[in-house]
Amino acid sequence: MSKINAVITGIGGYVPEYILTNEELSRMVETNDEWIYTRVGIKERRILNEEGLGSAYMARKACRQLLAKTQVDPQTIDCVICATTTGDYHFPSNASIIIGKLGLKQAHGFDVSCACCGFLYILDMASAMIQSGRYKRIICVAAEKMSSMVDYQDRQTCVLFGDGAGAAMLEATEEEGVGFQDSFLRTDGLGLPFLHMKAGGSVCPASHYTVDHRMHYVYQEGRTVFRYAVTSMADDIQEVMKRNNLTMNDVNWLIPHEANMRIIEAVAKRLETPMEKILVNIEHYGNTSAASIALALWDFEKKLKKGDNVLLTAFGAGFVHGASFYKWGYDGDKVGKNA
């Protein structure tokens, strides 16, 4: 019996129309374009500013494009896994909303909360589900409305984040030499003090006090997060390469979580790899948390060729981190971002 593997057969994406530039941010908080760009490499970010719309809306838009591009019958989708930290509600899940709105009558679904590692983690999970033989077709979608948890009075964090969603179709294949190869994922549990939201969960439910004291926003100790992120992502990539007898010369593309340009450059330096091998779009989208790797795949799909060795890596609150090795399964320039 041939081995079953999981292969990505298409990428969809969505970013809101509204562009929040550094110039506009400089009128909201004490900052300027030069300060932002030299420190984090961001010029603009997309913001979902339409009332009544959340991350599930962006996820649906990405999934609709994905279904149109792949020409897959919606009733053949077995499962939808949504990575998000900014779900529309505490409950129900974004996945259930997506399934209902898209009419995926044969699918079940659930959300995964792994912060900026979300897409990396759900790709690993969906691949394992497909490799088990029980599932044939799974949508992995990551969507974040980071603007809903950003304090636009805090220049350390408000310059970083944007909104968006990306989706991947994973399908079963017996073709050799393509698809998911390996992951190295870790949760060290040391990150709570350094990156969290103080209120809104069961430990500290919302109240007049928490709202008045601005406790419903991202809290981050940047220097500590920076140090952990660089070390973890570089080490995780090296571990995946070691396990698969790879060197950076064997790698066609590295796609990191788009957190901060300085972090990405520091990872590249530790790996002694040129920036030309690293696919980066942070300048235009900012940090979209779980959605960032998915949006990078969407943006750079045309560059990816069948058989390319692609490494993915991410780091997020928790701390959670990891890296994956994937052999690309189709020529992206035959599909295209706007197909």
Side-chain angles (χ1 to χ4, degrees):
M1 183 177 179
S2 299
K3 178 184 176 182
I4 299 172
N5 200 5
V7 63
I8 294 173
T9 56
I11 301 290
Y14 174 79
V15 290
E17 292 184 6
Y18 179 72
I19 298 174
L20 178 59
T21 64
N22 290 348
E23 181 183 357
E24 186 174 352
L25 269 176
S26 70
R27 298 195 294 268
M28 301 164 60
V29 68
E30 185 181 350
T31 190
N32 58 65
D33 176 70
E34 181 183 8
W35 188 92
I36 298 169
Y37 190 69
T38 57
R39 283 162 177 78
V40 296
I42 300 169
K43 283 283 188 181
E44 59 191 31
R45 65 288 293 151
R46 300 299 184 99
I47 303 296
L48 184 64
N49 61 353
E50 299 174 58
E51 187 175 351
L53 297 180
S55 58
Y57 166 79
M58 294 185 288
R60 295 198 302 276
K61 298 282 279 188
C63 290
R64 286 188 197 279
Q65 185 191 79
L66 177 66
L67 289 167
K69 286 170 64 174
T70 57
Q71 295 295 297
V72 163
D73 179 355
Q75 305 317 319
T76 65
I77 303 298
D78 297 315
C79 182
V80 174
I81 310 176
C82 180
T84 186
T85 312
T86 56
D88 284 13
Y89 308 97
H90 279 303
F91 59 88
S93 68
N94 267 11
S96 68
I97 298 171
I98 295 163
I99 288 168
K101 293 290 187 180
L102 296 184
L104 309 181
K105 298 185 183 303
Q106 305 303 316
H108 76 285
F110 54 94
D111 289 358
V112 170
S113 177
C114 290
C116 299
C117 276
F119 190 68
L120 189 72
Y121 276 44
I122 66 174
L123 281 180
D124 180 88
M125 184 182 301
S127 296
M129 292 167 68
I130 287 173
Q131 289 168 339
S132 75
R134 293 180 59 193
Y135 300 88
K136 303 298 184 186
R137 190 170 279 154
I138 297 174
I139 291 177
C140 290
V141 57
E144 300 284 19
K145 187 179 178 181
M146 296 303 295
S147 60
S148 68
M149 59 166 66
V150 169
D151 184 353
Y152 287 97
Q153 296 181 18
D154 176 12
R155 77 168 185 168
Q156 300 295 328
T157 57
C158 73
V159 302
L160 294 172
F161 296 103
D163 303 337
M169 186 75 71
L170 262 70
E171 298 189 60
T173 182
E174 294 183 358
E175 181 180 358
E176 296 182 0
V178 295
F180 179 86
Q181 302 296 309
D182 192 18
S183 275
F184 179 78
L185 308 178
R186 289 295 181 271
T187 302
D188 62 30
L190 301 175
L192 175 60
F194 311 111
L195 183 53
H196 60 273
M197 182 186 289
K198 295 180 183 297
S202 59
V203 167
C204 186
S207 66
H208 285 295
Y209 179 88
T210 63
V211 173
D212 292 344
H213 287 78
R214 310 183 69 79
M215 296 171 66
H216 293 266
Y217 298 116
V218 173
Y219 171 82
Q220 175 174 272
E221 294 185 17
R223 290 184 179 180
T224 301
V225 172
F226 183 100
R227 186 174 68 253
Y228 271 94
V230 172
T231 302
S232 298
M233 289 198 293
D235 288 352
D236 295 346
I237 291 166
Q238 289 172 331
E239 178 64 24
V240 165
M241 289 195 299
K242 178 182 176 182
R243 286 168 26 161
N244 293 276
N245 298 313
L246 299 173
T247 70
M248 285 307 302
N249 291 330
D250 302 312
V251 176
N252 298 98
W253 303 106
L254 171 61
I255 305 177
H257 165 51
E258 314 278 330
N260 177 320
M261 193 62 192
R262 283 186 173 180
I263 291 176
I264 295 169
E265 290 171 343
V267 170
K269 184 176 180 179
R270 285 177 64 98
L271 295 172
E272 299 180 344
T273 191
M275 288 299 296
E276 289 75 19
K277 277 193 173 186
I278 303 178
L279 300 181
V280 180
N281 61 4
I282 191 172
E283 179 176 349
H284 300 295
Y285 297 148
N287 181 345
T288 55
S289 189
S292 73
I293 290 178
L295 284 172
L297 287 170
W298 180 57
D299 254 8
F300 297 111
E301 184 179 17
K302 289 185 178 182
K303 288 181 174 287
L304 302 173
K305 302 298 182 184
K306 187 170 183 177
D308 278 357
N309 290 329
V310 180
L311 296 183
L312 312 175
T313 186
F315 174 89
F319 292 125
V320 295
H321 51 92
S324 293
F325 169 34
Y326 189 88
K327 291 188 78 72
W328 199 250
Y330 62 95
D331 292 322
D333 58 359
K334 295 180 182 178
V335 179
K337 176 179 170 182
N338 298 310

PDB file of all heavy atoms in Angstrom, residues 56 60 63-64 74-75 77 80 92-110:
ATOM      1  N   ALA A  56     -13.577  36.168  11.439  1.00  0.00           N
ATOM      2  CA  ALA A  56     -14.257  35.122  10.665  1.00  0.00           C
ATOM      3  C   ALA A  56     -14.677  35.625   9.291  1.00  0.00           C
ATOM      4  O   ALA A  56     -14.715  34.862   8.316  1.00  0.00           O
ATOM      5  CB  ALA A  56     -15.467  34.589  11.435  1.00  0.00           C
ATOM      6  N   ARG A  60     -13.541  33.828   5.865  1.00  0.00           N
ATOM      7  CA  ARG A  60     -14.482  33.410   4.818  1.00  0.00           C
ATOM      8  C   ARG A  60     -14.038  33.924   3.450  1.00  0.00           C
ATOM      9  O   ARG A  60     -14.123  33.206   2.452  1.00  0.00           O
ATOM     10  CB  ARG A  60     -15.896  33.898   5.117  1.00  0.00           C
ATOM     11  CG  ARG A  60     -16.519  33.305   6.352  1.00  0.00           C
ATOM     12  CD  ARG A  60     -18.020  33.470   6.362  1.00  0.00           C
ATOM     13  NE  ARG A  60     -18.482  34.841   6.269  1.00  0.00           N
ATOM     14  CZ  ARG A  60     -18.605  35.671   7.301  1.00  0.00           C
ATOM     15  NH1 ARG A  60     -18.263  35.252   8.508  1.00  0.00           N
ATOM     16  NH2 ARG A  60     -19.079  36.889   7.138  1.00  0.00           N
ATOM     17  N   CYS A  63     -11.189  31.819   2.281  1.00  0.00           N
ATOM     18  CA  CYS A  63     -11.646  30.473   1.924  1.00  0.00           C
ATOM     19  C   CYS A  63     -12.436  30.474   0.617  1.00  0.00           C
ATOM     20  O   CYS A  63     -12.313  29.532  -0.186  1.00  0.00           O
ATOM     21  CB  CYS A  63     -12.483  29.877   3.047  1.00  0.00           C
ATOM     22  SG  CYS A  63     -11.540  29.446   4.524  1.00  0.00           S
ATOM     23  N   ARG A  64     -13.250  31.496   0.407  1.00  0.00           N
ATOM     24  CA  ARG A  64     -13.996  31.589  -0.860  1.00  0.00           C
ATOM     25  C   ARG A  64     -13.022  31.671  -2.041  1.00  0.00           C
ATOM     26  O   ARG A  64     -13.224  31.017  -3.077  1.00  0.00           O
ATOM     27  CB  ARG A  64     -14.920  32.804  -0.856  1.00  0.00           C
ATOM     28  CG  ARG A  64     -16.144  32.668   0.013  1.00  0.00           C
ATOM     29  CD  ARG A  64     -17.088  33.846  -0.198  1.00  0.00           C
ATOM     30  NE  ARG A  64     -18.066  33.964   0.866  1.00  0.00           N
ATOM     31  CZ  ARG A  64     -19.178  33.244   0.947  1.00  0.00           C
ATOM     32  NH1 ARG A  64     -19.446  32.342   0.011  1.00  0.00           N
ATOM     33  NH2 ARG A  64     -20.015  33.409   1.951  1.00  0.00           N
ATOM     34  N   PRO A  74     -17.260  22.209  -2.573  1.00  0.00           N
ATOM     35  CA  PRO A  74     -17.327  22.498  -1.141  1.00  0.00           C
ATOM     36  C   PRO A  74     -17.821  21.328  -0.303  1.00  0.00           C
ATOM     37  O   PRO A  74     -17.480  21.225   0.881  1.00  0.00           O
ATOM     38  CB  PRO A  74     -18.295  23.684  -1.067  1.00  0.00           C
ATOM     39  CG  PRO A  74     -18.221  24.325  -2.408  1.00  0.00           C
ATOM     40  CD  PRO A  74     -17.997  23.196  -3.374  1.00  0.00           C
ATOM     41  N   GLN A  75     -18.620  20.443  -0.905  1.00  0.00           N
ATOM     42  CA  GLN A  75     -19.166  19.318  -0.137  1.00  0.00           C
ATOM     43  C   GLN A  75     -18.174  18.167   0.022  1.00  0.00           C
ATOM     44  O   GLN A  75     -18.516  17.132   0.601  1.00  0.00           O
ATOM     45  CB  GLN A  75     -20.461  18.829  -0.792  1.00  0.00           C
ATOM     46  CG  GLN A  75     -21.513  19.913  -0.972  1.00  0.00           C
ATOM     47  CD  GLN A  75     -21.658  20.822   0.248  1.00  0.00           C
ATOM     48  OE1 GLN A  75     -21.635  20.357   1.396  1.00  0.00           O
ATOM     49  NE2 GLN A  75     -21.822  22.115   0.008  1.00  0.00           N
ATOM     50  N   ILE A  77     -15.158  18.884   1.416  1.00  0.00           N
ATOM     51  CA  ILE A  77     -14.280  19.333   2.499  1.00  0.00           C
ATOM     52  C   ILE A  77     -14.622  18.546   3.765  1.00  0.00           C
ATOM     53  O   ILE A  77     -15.760  18.540   4.220  1.00  0.00           O
ATOM     54  CB  ILE A  77     -14.432  20.844   2.767  1.00  0.00           C
ATOM     55  CG1 ILE A  77     -14.149  21.645   1.491  1.00  0.00           C
ATOM     56  CG2 ILE A  77     -13.521  21.283   3.908  1.00  0.00           C
ATOM     57  CD1 ILE A  77     -12.765  21.488   0.948  1.00  0.00           C
ATOM     58  N   VAL A  80     -12.475  21.954   8.643  1.00  0.00           N
ATOM     59  CA  VAL A  80     -11.921  23.308   8.602  1.00  0.00           C
ATOM     60  C   VAL A  80     -11.269  23.571   9.956  1.00  0.00           C
ATOM     61  O   VAL A  80     -11.913  23.467  10.997  1.00  0.00           O
ATOM     62  CB  VAL A  80     -13.006  24.372   8.336  1.00  0.00           C
ATOM     63  CG1 VAL A  80     -12.412  25.781   8.443  1.00  0.00           C
ATOM     64  CG2 VAL A  80     -13.645  24.165   6.964  1.00  0.00           C
ATOM     65  N   PRO A  92     -19.531  30.829  19.604  1.00  0.00           N
ATOM     66  CA  PRO A  92     -18.964  29.628  18.993  1.00  0.00           C
ATOM     67  C   PRO A  92     -17.632  29.906  18.308  1.00  0.00           C
ATOM     68  O   PRO A  92     -17.183  31.045  18.233  1.00  0.00           O
ATOM     69  CB  PRO A  92     -20.032  29.241  17.976  1.00  0.00           C
ATOM     70  CG  PRO A  92     -20.595  30.555  17.538  1.00  0.00           C
ATOM     71  CD  PRO A  92     -20.635  31.378  18.788  1.00  0.00           C
ATOM     72  N   SER A  93     -17.030  28.849  17.782  1.00  0.00           N
ATOM     73  CA  SER A  93     -15.729  28.963  17.121  1.00  0.00           C
ATOM     74  C   SER A  93     -15.856  29.675  15.776  1.00  0.00           C
ATOM     75  O   SER A  93     -16.915  29.666  15.142  1.00  0.00           O
ATOM     76  CB  SER A  93     -15.142  27.570  16.891  1.00  0.00           C
ATOM     77  OG  SER A  93     -15.917  26.852  15.931  1.00  0.00           O
ATOM     78  N   ASN A  94     -14.763  30.275  15.360  1.00  0.00           N
ATOM     79  CA  ASN A  94     -14.718  30.823  14.004  1.00  0.00           C
ATOM     80  C   ASN A  94     -14.966  29.738  12.971  1.00  0.00           C
ATOM     81  O   ASN A  94     -15.632  29.970  11.957  1.00  0.00           O
ATOM     82  CB  ASN A  94     -13.354  31.465  13.736  1.00  0.00           C
ATOM     83  CG  ASN A  94     -13.328  32.958  14.032  1.00  0.00           C
ATOM     84  OD1 ASN A  94     -14.257  33.499  14.634  1.00  0.00           O
ATOM     85  ND2 ASN A  94     -12.259  33.618  13.635  1.00  0.00           N
ATOM     86  N   ALA A  95     -14.401  28.561  13.201  1.00  0.00           N
ATOM     87  CA  ALA A  95     -14.555  27.473  12.230  1.00  0.00           C
ATOM     88  C   ALA A  95     -16.026  27.152  11.985  1.00  0.00           C
ATOM     89  O   ALA A  95     -16.441  26.917  10.841  1.00  0.00           O
ATOM     90  CB  ALA A  95     -13.809  26.227  12.710  1.00  0.00           C
ATOM     91  N   SER A  96     -16.821  27.152  13.053  1.00  0.00           N
ATOM     92  CA  SER A  96     -18.245  26.850  12.882  1.00  0.00           C
ATOM     93  C   SER A  96     -18.942  27.933  12.071  1.00  0.00           C
ATOM     94  O   SER A  96     -19.838  27.640  11.264  1.00  0.00           O
ATOM     95  CB  SER A  96     -18.927  26.683  14.246  1.00  0.00           C
ATOM     96  OG  SER A  96     -18.977  27.911  14.953  1.00  0.00           O
ATOM     97  N   ILE A  97     -18.535  29.176  12.263  1.00  0.00           N
ATOM     98  CA  ILE A  97     -19.117  30.285  11.494  1.00  0.00           C
ATOM     99  C   ILE A  97     -18.732  30.156  10.025  1.00  0.00           C
ATOM    100  O   ILE A  97     -19.570  30.322   9.119  1.00  0.00           O
ATOM    101  CB  ILE A  97     -18.650  31.631  12.068  1.00  0.00           C
ATOM    102  CG1 ILE A  97     -19.136  31.797  13.508  1.00  0.00           C
ATOM    103  CG2 ILE A  97     -19.145  32.787  11.207  1.00  0.00           C
ATOM    104  CD1 ILE A  97     -18.535  32.996  14.237  1.00  0.00           C
ATOM    105  N   ILE A  98     -17.465  29.858   9.771  1.00  0.00           N
ATOM    106  CA  ILE A  98     -16.989  29.692   8.395  1.00  0.00           C
ATOM    107  C   ILE A  98     -17.741  28.567   7.697  1.00  0.00           C
ATOM    108  O   ILE A  98     -18.227  28.722   6.568  1.00  0.00           O
ATOM    109  CB  ILE A  98     -15.475  29.398   8.399  1.00  0.00           C
ATOM    110  CG1 ILE A  98     -14.694  30.594   8.939  1.00  0.00           C
ATOM    111  CG2 ILE A  98     -14.986  29.031   6.995  1.00  0.00           C
ATOM    112  CD1 ILE A  98     -13.275  30.257   9.368  1.00  0.00           C
ATOM    113  N   ILE A  99     -17.859  27.432   8.365  1.00  0.00           N
ATOM    114  CA  ILE A  99     -18.551  26.279   7.783  1.00  0.00           C
ATOM    115  C   ILE A  99     -20.003  26.620   7.466  1.00  0.00           C
ATOM    116  O   ILE A  99     -20.523  26.292   6.389  1.00  0.00           O
ATOM    117  CB  ILE A  99     -18.460  25.076   8.732  1.00  0.00           C
ATOM    118  CG1 ILE A  99     -17.035  24.524   8.743  1.00  0.00           C
ATOM    119  CG2 ILE A  99     -19.455  23.987   8.348  1.00  0.00           C
ATOM    120  CD1 ILE A  99     -16.759  23.518   9.844  1.00  0.00           C
ATOM    121  N   GLY A 100     -20.665  27.310   8.391  1.00  0.00           N
ATOM    122  CA  GLY A 100     -22.057  27.679   8.176  1.00  0.00           C
ATOM    123  C   GLY A 100     -22.242  28.654   7.034  1.00  0.00           C
ATOM    124  O   GLY A 100     -23.127  28.486   6.183  1.00  0.00           O
ATOM    125  N   LYS A 101     -21.406  29.680   6.986  1.00  0.00           N
ATOM    126  CA  LYS A 101     -21.540  30.712   5.954  1.00  0.00           C
ATOM    127  C   LYS A 101     -21.180  30.187   4.563  1.00  0.00           C
ATOM    128  O   LYS A 101     -21.746  30.627   3.565  1.00  0.00           O
ATOM    129  CB  LYS A 101     -20.643  31.900   6.291  1.00  0.00           C
ATOM    130  CG  LYS A 101     -21.057  32.678   7.530  1.00  0.00           C
ATOM    131  CD  LYS A 101     -22.342  33.457   7.307  1.00  0.00           C
ATOM    132  CE  LYS A 101     -22.644  34.347   8.499  1.00  0.00           C
ATOM    133  NZ  LYS A 101     -23.889  35.137   8.325  1.00  0.00           N
ATOM    134  N   LEU A 102     -20.237  29.236   4.494  1.00  0.00           N
ATOM    135  CA  LEU A 102     -19.822  28.700   3.204  1.00  0.00           C
ATOM    136  C   LEU A 102     -20.640  27.476   2.786  1.00  0.00           C
ATOM    137  O   LEU A 102     -20.478  26.977   1.675  1.00  0.00           O
ATOM    138  CB  LEU A 102     -18.339  28.323   3.239  1.00  0.00           C
ATOM    139  CG  LEU A 102     -17.349  29.470   3.461  1.00  0.00           C
ATOM    140  CD1 LEU A 102     -15.918  28.956   3.374  1.00  0.00           C
ATOM    141  CD2 LEU A 102     -17.567  30.595   2.462  1.00  0.00           C
ATOM    142  N   GLY A 103     -21.491  26.995   3.672  1.00  0.00           N
ATOM    143  CA  GLY A 103     -22.343  25.851   3.337  1.00  0.00           C
ATOM    144  C   GLY A 103     -21.584  24.547   3.160  1.00  0.00           C
ATOM    145  O   GLY A 103     -21.909  23.741   2.288  1.00  0.00           O
ATOM    146  N   LEU A 104     -20.580  24.346   4.008  1.00  0.00           N
ATOM    147  CA  LEU A 104     -19.770  23.118   3.925  1.00  0.00           C
ATOM    148  C   LEU A 104     -20.454  22.026   4.743  1.00  0.00           C
ATOM    149  O   LEU A 104     -20.110  21.752   5.888  1.00  0.00           O
ATOM    150  CB  LEU A 104     -18.358  23.378   4.442  1.00  0.00           C
ATOM    151  CG  LEU A 104     -17.630  24.587   3.842  1.00  0.00           C
ATOM    152  CD1 LEU A 104     -16.239  24.726   4.425  1.00  0.00           C
ATOM    153  CD2 LEU A 104     -17.569  24.492   2.318  1.00  0.00           C
ATOM    154  N   LYS A 105     -21.420  21.375   4.153  1.00  0.00           N
ATOM    155  CA  LYS A 105     -22.336  20.507   4.890  1.00  0.00           C
ATOM    156  C   LYS A 105     -21.716  19.195   5.348  1.00  0.00           C
ATOM    157  O   LYS A 105     -22.265  18.513   6.215  1.00  0.00           O
ATOM    158  CB  LYS A 105     -23.588  20.243   4.041  1.00  0.00           C
ATOM    159  CG  LYS A 105     -24.367  21.512   3.715  1.00  0.00           C
ATOM    160  CD  LYS A 105     -25.653  21.208   2.987  1.00  0.00           C
ATOM    161  CE  LYS A 105     -26.386  22.481   2.592  1.00  0.00           C
ATOM    162  NZ  LYS A 105     -26.679  23.336   3.747  1.00  0.00           N
ATOM    163  N   GLN A 106     -20.578  18.814   4.792  1.00  0.00           N
ATOM    164  CA  GLN A 106     -19.940  17.547   5.177  1.00  0.00           C
ATOM    165  C   GLN A 106     -18.737  17.746   6.109  1.00  0.00           C
ATOM    166  O   GLN A 106     -18.055  16.786   6.457  1.00  0.00           O
ATOM    167  CB  GLN A 106     -19.473  16.792   3.919  1.00  0.00           C
ATOM    168  CG  GLN A 106     -20.572  16.542   2.902  1.00  0.00           C
ATOM    169  CD  GLN A 106     -21.750  15.777   3.480  1.00  0.00           C
ATOM    170  OE1 GLN A 106     -21.559  14.799   4.199  1.00  0.00           O
ATOM    171  NE2 GLN A 106     -22.965  16.222   3.169  1.00  0.00           N
ATOM    172  N   ALA A 107     -18.506  18.989   6.520  1.00  0.00           N
ATOM    173  CA  ALA A 107     -17.285  19.296   7.283  1.00  0.00           C
ATOM    174  C   ALA A 107     -17.580  19.488   8.761  1.00  0.00           C
ATOM    175  O   ALA A 107     -18.648  19.963   9.149  1.00  0.00           O
ATOM    176  CB  ALA A 107     -16.630  20.557   6.726  1.00  0.00           C
ATOM    177  N   HIS A 108     -16.609  19.116   9.593  1.00  0.00           N
ATOM    178  CA  HIS A 108     -16.603  19.571  10.971  1.00  0.00           C
ATOM    179  C   HIS A 108     -15.435  20.548  11.111  1.00  0.00           C
ATOM    180  O   HIS A 108     -14.609  20.684  10.192  1.00  0.00           O
ATOM    181  CB  HIS A 108     -16.463  18.402  11.953  1.00  0.00           C
ATOM    182  CG  HIS A 108     -15.085  17.832  12.048  1.00  0.00           C
ATOM    183  ND1 HIS A 108     -14.536  17.032  11.064  1.00  0.00           N
ATOM    184  CD2 HIS A 108     -14.128  17.948  12.994  1.00  0.00           C
ATOM    185  CE1 HIS A 108     -13.316  16.668  11.406  1.00  0.00           C
ATOM    186  NE2 HIS A 108     -13.028  17.213  12.581  1.00  0.00           N
ATOM    187  N   GLY A 109     -15.367  21.249  12.230  1.00  0.00           N
ATOM    188  CA  GLY A 109     -14.297  22.229  12.350  1.00  0.00           C
ATOM    189  C   GLY A 109     -14.078  22.675  13.775  1.00  0.00           C
ATOM    190  O   GLY A 109     -14.917  22.475  14.654  1.00  0.00           O
ATOM    191  N   PHE A 110     -12.937  23.308  13.989  1.00  0.00           N
ATOM    192  CA  PHE A 110     -12.592  23.806  15.313  1.00  0.00           C
ATOM    193  C   PHE A 110     -11.516  24.869  15.187  1.00  0.00           C
ATOM    194  O   PHE A 110     -10.846  24.984  14.155  1.00  0.00           O
ATOM    195  CB  PHE A 110     -12.114  22.662  16.220  1.00  0.00           C
ATOM    196  CG  PHE A 110     -10.990  21.841  15.645  1.00  0.00           C
ATOM    197  CD1 PHE A 110      -9.665  22.133  15.935  1.00  0.00           C
ATOM    198  CD2 PHE A 110     -11.265  20.754  14.808  1.00  0.00           C
ATOM    199  CE1 PHE A 110      -8.634  21.371  15.412  1.00  0.00           C
ATOM    200  CE2 PHE A 110     -10.239  19.988  14.283  1.00  0.00           C
ATOM    201  CZ  PHE A 110      -8.915  20.301  14.584  1.00  0.00           C
TER     202      PHE A 110
END
